[in-house]
């Protein structure tokens, strides 16, 4: 495909051309290559458009810690449940509603009489607080930079006094570092998430590329976007080079959304935090800074849920290995049997960005 030819995002002929190019690159490389993407929307695009069936032998594209719902730790869900059980209304995104905590999900808590509302945005949670001044409204805020920035904007805009935030927001770059350092994870390059990079900018990955000497390409979500980003990554692998490239220039810039970032870092600071099933990750959880303490649900409520161990079934869940690129969903003994979208055992089966849910939706083993 020529440099000047416009991308037709779902054009089969362009996809074929790119697939041929991947074959050629893999023939040049002449050894297996493993790439990792870190975004549930990339997994959806790959599964939905059958892109794995277009990849040459020896090339695998694995899902990393790319779903913010999946990496929310069970004790964080427990905190939200504990707050709801204390009588506050917990507002959260639909995906979080059914994610199991140690003992129960927010959906279970609501079935038991607690007040839990599903919202589509942080601003909807604020509207709920404004409309119900006699109630405490706690926004259980999950998600990466893409949703942390709007949560920060809300907190920066003097929300009502009965509104607070239980932050389970997470920051992706440190998790990529931890995965890159895992001895049993052998990744040759990262396909970075286009949505998150619209906020953070792709320049953010420069230090990573230098430290880990691995290529990173930021990619969009149409089939051609994904194939193009994979092509770029393979070029780096073939040339034995690290490097950073933006294959999603129609949405992503080097600096990102500077104003959103400024607000985000004004409101949040990073602390170490456990990502579900993966590891304790330094600098990867976002908590409210002191000037915003009055809106911090952890400080407003007594949230120390009793930790009496997880449900035995959840101990068989291999979400952590899946998000570290070490296993596929169908390697989990519970996949499609005890664990289904209507009765999820682990978080990866709940979220529309979770690999188990996506694989279940597209037939159990999509084109691998
Ligand atoms: S929030 Fe956006 S960038 Fe982040 S994982 Fe989800 S879809 Fe991808
Ligand atoms: S199939 Fe269910 S239990 Fe198994 S890894 Fe996926 S979410 Fe966890």
């Amino acid at each position: 495909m020529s440099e000047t030819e416009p991308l037709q995002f779902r054009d089969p002929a362009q996809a074929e051309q790119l697939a041929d190019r991947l074959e050629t690159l893999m023939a040049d490389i002449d050894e297996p290559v493993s790439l990792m993407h870190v975004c549930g929307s990339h997994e959806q695009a790959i599964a939905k458009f059958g892109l794995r069936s277009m990849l040459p032998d020896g090339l695998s594209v694995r899902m990393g810690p790319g779903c913010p719902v999946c990496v929310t730790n069970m004790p964080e869900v427990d905190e939200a449940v504990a707050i709801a059980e204390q009588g506050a209304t917990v507002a959260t995104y639909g995906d979080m509603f059914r994610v199991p905590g140690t003992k129960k999900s927010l959906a279970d808590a609501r079935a038991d009489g607690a007040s839990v509302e599903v919202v589509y945005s942080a601003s909807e949670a604020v509207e709920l607080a404004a409309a119900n001044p006699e109630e405490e409204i706690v926004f259980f805020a999950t998600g990466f930079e893409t949703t942390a920035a709007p949560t920060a904007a809300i907190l920066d805009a003097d929300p009502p006094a009965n509104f607070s935030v239980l932050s389970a927001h997470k920051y992706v770059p440190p998790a990529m570092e931890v995965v890159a350092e895992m001895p049993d994870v052998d990744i040759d390059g990262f396909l970075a998430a286009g949505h998150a990079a619209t906020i953070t900018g792709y320049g953010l990955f420069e230090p990573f590329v230098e430290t880990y000497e691995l290529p990173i390409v930021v990619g969009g979500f149409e089939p051609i976007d994904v194939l193009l980003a994979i092509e770029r990554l393979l070029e780096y692998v073939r040339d034995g080079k690290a490097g950073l490239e933006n294959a999603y220039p129609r949405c992503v810039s080097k600096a990102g959304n500077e104003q959103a970032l400024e607000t985000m870092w004004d409101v949040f600071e990073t602390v170490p935090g456990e990502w579900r099933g993966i590891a304790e990750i330094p600098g990867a959880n976002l908590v409210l800074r002191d000037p915003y303490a009055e809106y911090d649900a952890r400080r407003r409520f007594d949230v120390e849920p009793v930790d009496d161990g997880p449900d035995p079934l959840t101990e068989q869940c291999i979400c952590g290995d899946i998000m570290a690129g070490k296993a596929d969903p169908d390697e989990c003994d519970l996949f499609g049997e005890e664990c289904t979208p209507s009765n999820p055992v682990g978080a990866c089966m709940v979220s529309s960005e979770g690999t188990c849910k996506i694989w279940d939706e597209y037939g159990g083993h999509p084109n691998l």
Side-chain angles (χ1 to χ4, degrees), residues 55-247:
L55 302 184
D57 288 346
L59 172 61
S60 70
V61 180
R62 315 195 60 83
M63 168 93 178
C67 168
V69 176
C70 302
V71 298
T72 302
N73 212 18
M74 280 201 269
E76 290 171 310
V77 178
D78 295 345
E79 288 179 315
V81 168
I83 289 175
E85 288 179 338
Q86 284 173 38
T89 293
V90 171
T92 196
Y93 296 119
D95 275 352
M96 263 338 281
F97 185 58
R98 292 190 311 121
V99 172
T102 311
K103 283 284 174 272
K104 52 168 94 166
S105 65
L106 282 166
D108 299 330
R110 182 156 85 177
D112 292 344
S115 177
V116 182
E117 295 291 336
V118 170
V119 290
Y120 291 98
S121 63
S123 46
E124 207 183 313
V126 169
E127 283 163 24
L128 199 62
N132 298 281
E134 71 296 344
E135 269 182 57
E136 283 287 336
I137 306 292
V138 179
F139 178 48
F140 183 33
T142 57
F144 299 141
E145 297 85 324
T146 348
T147 51
T151 305
I154 288 290
L155 289 170
D156 204 36
D158 287 329
N162 63 326
F163 175 81
S164 58
V165 168
L166 176 65
S167 174
H169 281 306
K170 310 235 179 300
Y171 187 54
V172 177
M176 288 169 66
E177 290 176 20
V178 164
V179 171
E181 278 173 12
M182 284 179 173
D184 45 353
V185 176
D186 198 8
I187 297 297
D188 299 296
F190 282 91
L191 168 55
H195 294 160
T198 55
I199 303 287
T200 59
Y202 70 88
L204 166 93
F205 296 114
E206 268 169 357
F208 179 98
V209 169
E210 270 170 38
T211 307
Y212 295 97
E213 295 179 349
L214 283 171
I216 293 189
V217 174
V218 176
F221 301 94
E222 294 291 346
I224 299 292
D225 285 323
V226 175
L227 292 171
L228 194 68
I230 293 172
E231 181 210 23
R232 296 287 188 259
L233 280 166
L234 284 188
E235 281 175 357
Y236 282 109
V237 175
R238 179 201 55 194
D239 298 342
K241 282 191 192 154
L244 173 62
E245 204 169 311
N246 178 18

Side-chain angles (χ1 to χ4, degrees), residues 330-364:
D330 57 354
E331 289 172 52
C332 175
D333 291 339
L334 309 180
F335 181 73
E337 304 285 339
E338 287 92 341
C339 184
T340 60
S342 54
N343 191 20
V345 173
C348 290
M349 190 58 96
V350 177
S351 164
S352 54
E353 293 177 15
T355 314
C356 298
K357 170 89 180 293
I358 296 169
W359 282 42
D360 183 87
E361 195 176 339
Y362 291 101

